[in-house]
Amino acid sequence: MKLKTIGVIGAGVMGRGVAQNLAQTDHQVVLVDLNDAVLANAKQEIYQTVRLQSLFNKAATSANPDETIQKINFTTDYQQLSSVDFVVENVVEKWEIKKAVYAQLDSICPTHCVFAANTSAISITRIGSATQRPAQVIGMHFMNPVPMKTVVEVIKGYHTSEATIATANAFLAQMGKSSVLVNDSPGFVSNRVLMLTVNEAIFLVQDQVATAADVDKIFKSCFGHKMGPLETADLIGLDTILFSLDVLYESFNDSKYRPCPLLKKMVDAGLYGRKNGEGFYKYPV
């Protein structure tokens, strides 16, 4: 059965990337956010991204910005999710917020609907416990930018059923993606490793061992990485990095996940990275 109508919760960087990718692979999308301004910005960003894609990549799938936008229902009304087949949740990495979102989803979405949590670190088993359908809850860790990444880290919660895993893989195949399935643990595979690397790189800058540019240069020049750890942090969002480290620190009670004070200071100062124009580097807004 083709999954035709997809709910996407959260219209930030990840949510709009998922919505764009879905619309360009012939899905009807309900993109929900509590903030009209965020939805308006998402609509503009998706339009511009697809327009540029069509200019620079003639083979891009469904690279017509008007057609793409027409397939997305931008709304603040959760009731619009009453007939969706699948939901991808992308809200902020704070448990109390996620818990409240899943309570709403559980009461509104059809009984067959699968919930995919696009989380950086929060346990999928814990998210499943916030619903009456834990067997239909799965982790789906998309990478940024979503339309350009072909592999997704998929996480099996304690109660996640084999049928849900099969549905998730079919859903990703419809988006032109494949998956790597891992078991549930805070941070999963990617972020248990990545967040430590990013955090230690920030400590290096704080301790004046090297500049951000030189830290990144070593990783790119010596190890062949496409991006250094601090460029990656700016792409993800320093606020998201801090939220993820907080979750890992709380989950494992291990001091190795203690967020660097410089990271906390930068987030307090509103330096989030690419999403708002400045992090370890400056970006055009």
Side-chain angles (χ1 to χ4, degrees):
M1 181 185 74
K2 180 177 172 62
L3 302 164
K4 295 182 179 179
T5 306
I6 312 299
V8 178
I9 314 303
V13 173
M14 295 304 295
R16 68 180 182 242
V18 172
Q20 176 193 323
N21 198 158
L22 285 165
Q24 289 186 278
T25 48
D26 202 29
H27 297 85
Q28 294 298 315
V29 182
V30 181
L31 179 58
V32 180
D33 198 284
L34 296 178
N35 191 313
D36 285 315
V38 172
L39 287 167
N41 181 65
K43 187 173 186 178
Q44 180 181 11
E45 288 290 334
I46 292 170
Y47 186 93
Q48 292 297 337
T49 300
V50 177
R51 187 179 69 84
L52 290 172
Q53 193 180 69
S54 65
L55 289 174
F56 292 106
N57 181 8
K58 299 301 182 184
T61 305
S62 301
N64 181 306
D66 292 306
E67 290 179 4
T68 302
I69 292 296
Q70 286 172 7
K71 291 176 182 174
I72 305 173
N73 173 12
F74 298 83
T75 182
T76 58
D77 182 10
Y78 271 79
Q79 294 296 329
Q80 298 291 317
L81 300 167
S82 62
S83 61
V84 298
D85 299 311
F86 198 98
V87 167
V88 182
E89 171 270 309
N90 312 270
V91 304
V92 68
E93 294 288 278
K94 291 187 176 181
W95 170 242
E96 292 304 321
I97 294 175
K98 283 192 183 290
K99 184 178 179 181
V101 165
Y102 280 95
Q104 287 197 74
L105 294 177
D106 215 23
S107 67
I108 294 169
C109 296
T111 55
H112 71 272
C113 183
V114 167
F115 298 159
N118 184 15
T119 175
S120 298
I122 295 175
S123 162
I124 303 307
T125 302
R126 189 179 192 190
I127 291 173
S129 73
T131 77
Q132 299 298 313
R133 59 182 92 187
Q136 291 165 241
V137 176
I138 194 165
M140 199 167 274
H141 186 201
F142 290 90
M143 308 299 166
N144 186 32
V146 175
M148 296 176 63
K149 302 294 184 179
T150 59
V151 180
V152 177
E153 184 181 30
V154 172
I155 305 96
K156 181 181 185 294
Y158 184 86
H159 294 291
T160 305
S161 69
E162 291 301 317
T164 294
I165 294 170
T167 299
N169 284 331
F171 168 73
L172 290 172
Q174 289 177 196
M175 295 179 73
K177 301 185 189 301
S178 60
S179 67
V180 177
L181 181 67
V182 303
N183 289 317
D184 191 23
S185 177
F188 326 122
V189 172
S190 57
N191 278 344
R192 275 184 69 175
V193 175
L194 178 61
M195 294 302 154
L196 283 172
T197 303
V198 169
N199 199 41
E200 197 61 32
I202 299 172
F203 270 112
L204 289 169
V205 175
Q206 175 183 276
D207 297 344
Q208 299 183 352
V209 176
T211 64
D214 284 343
V215 170
D216 285 339
K217 184 177 181 180
I218 287 170
F219 276 81
K220 291 187 290 185
S221 301
C222 299
F223 300 134
H225 292 192
K226 291 183 179 180
M227 299 178 71
L230 300 174
E231 290 173 313
T232 302
D234 274 1
L235 178 63
I236 294 170
L238 300 188
D239 53 339
T240 301
I241 297 288
L242 180 56
F243 290 148
S244 299
L245 284 166
D246 283 340
V247 169
L248 290 166
Y249 186 55
E250 177 188 351
S251 299
F252 292 107
N253 293 314
D254 191 330
S255 61
K256 71 183 180 183
Y257 295 112
R258 176 177 63 91
C260 178
L262 176 59
L263 174 62
K264 291 183 175 182
K265 181 186 289 186
M266 292 178 72
V267 171
D268 286 344
L271 307 179
Y272 298 157
R274 286 182 178 268
K275 67 175 72 176
N276 70 344
E278 184 173 357
F280 287 98
Y281 303 92
K282 292 187 177 180
Y283 306 91
V285 178

